Amino acid sequence: MLESFKGSCRFLQYTPSKPAKYGIKLFFLVDAMTFYTNKLEICGGKQREGPYFQDTSTNALVKRMIEPISGTGQNVTMDNWFTSVPLTEQLLTDHDLTVLGTMRKNKPEILNEFRRKGLEVYSTVFGYKQKETLLSYCPKKDKTVLLLSTMHNDGVIDKTSEKNFQKSLSFIIKRKEE
């Protein structure tokens, strides 16, 4: 999360893609059921060597953030800035945590079949590796979304969500016809 802020601050972040371009970057570990914040960390940017030095790499950040829930068997949902195959394998084996997250297409461990454009709209491609499932979904022409999961191990699509999707799709089509 980028909390909007325009004052004088050493660790002020600039993110041109956000509505508030200047702010303080915050990382949260939040329980999805209770909305309780287990852990919060402020991004201090690149740090100098010294007694308070913290590694700011994504893997080190994730490992610090999951400390309160390590070994509990819970699921961690994260965005594409954090998700990678080596990290998900490590969280599953060393910390007993499953992961569900979107992935960036530039990761070296992703096969070209999952990155390619020209897939049929609403089509899904599944890939399996031991305990991981990689999914490539095409929501619209020339756009693919990649999901990585250690929580799911089959290519079954929930029929209730598929029915709800078809209902919303027919509603959108009717609205366009009007």
Side-chain angles (χ1 to χ4, degrees):
M1 173 181 166
L2 187 72
E3 185 62 36
S4 177
F5 182 77
K6 281 204 175 187
S8 177
C9 179
R10 211 174 223 192
F11 45 88
L12 193 66
Q13 299 276 324
Y14 173 69
T15 310
S17 62
K18 297 283 185 182
K21 299 189 183 335
Y22 292 93
I24 298 172
K25 193 181 281 188
L26 304 169
F27 300 105
F28 295 92
L29 176 68
V30 179
D31 188 317
M33 299 294 279
T34 62
F35 306 113
Y36 179 77
T37 301
N38 289 314
K39 193 156 185 171
L40 170 113
E41 191 168 310
I42 298 172
C43 179
K46 190 171 182 174
Q47 298 184 7
R48 299 182 188 130
E49 294 292 328
Y52 302 107
F53 175 79
Q54 288 278 337
D55 186 3
T56 57
S57 69
T58 56
N59 286 359
L61 175 65
V62 169
K63 288 174 190 169
R64 283 195 308 272
M65 295 299 287
I66 58 113
E67 284 173 359
I69 61 168
S70 181
T72 61
Q74 293 182 356
N75 181 58
V76 178
T77 304
M78 55 180 94
D79 72 358
N80 64 20
W81 196 63
F82 300 101
T83 310
S84 70
V85 173
L87 179 63
T88 57
E89 289 173 349
Q90 202 170 33
L91 291 180
L92 186 63
T93 56
D94 298 348
H95 300 279
D96 190 31
L97 296 171
T98 59
V99 173
L100 175 66
T102 57
M103 277 188 84
R104 293 182 178 181
K105 295 175 195 73
N106 64 352
K107 300 284 183 176
E109 56 267 11
I110 298 174
L111 298 173
N112 289 332
E113 288 80 21
F114 292 94
R115 296 182 199 167
R116 69 186 170 113
K117 292 182 179 181
L119 292 173
E120 187 179 326
V121 177
Y122 306 126
S123 65
T124 307
V125 178
F126 291 89
Y128 305 95
K129 178 188 169 193
Q130 295 170 345
K131 296 185 178 185
E132 292 119 19
T133 301
L134 180 64
L135 175 137
S136 176
Y137 174 68
C138 181
K140 57 184 169 182
K141 187 179 179 194
D142 292 332
K143 178 163 176 63
T144 56
V145 178
L146 297 175
L147 292 167
L148 180 66
S149 175
T150 57
M151 184 176 159
H152 305 92
N153 54 11
D154 58 15
V156 177
I157 298 174
D158 183 21
K159 293 296 179 189
T160 57
S161 64
E162 190 174 9
K163 286 178 188 174
N164 290 339
F165 175 73
Q166 292 298 331
K167 285 179 188 176
S168 65
L169 185 63
S170 66
F171 176 74
I172 292 168
I173 292 170
K174 286 179 185 175
R175 295 276 289 170
K176 283 185 178 179
E177 290 172 355
E178 292 173 353

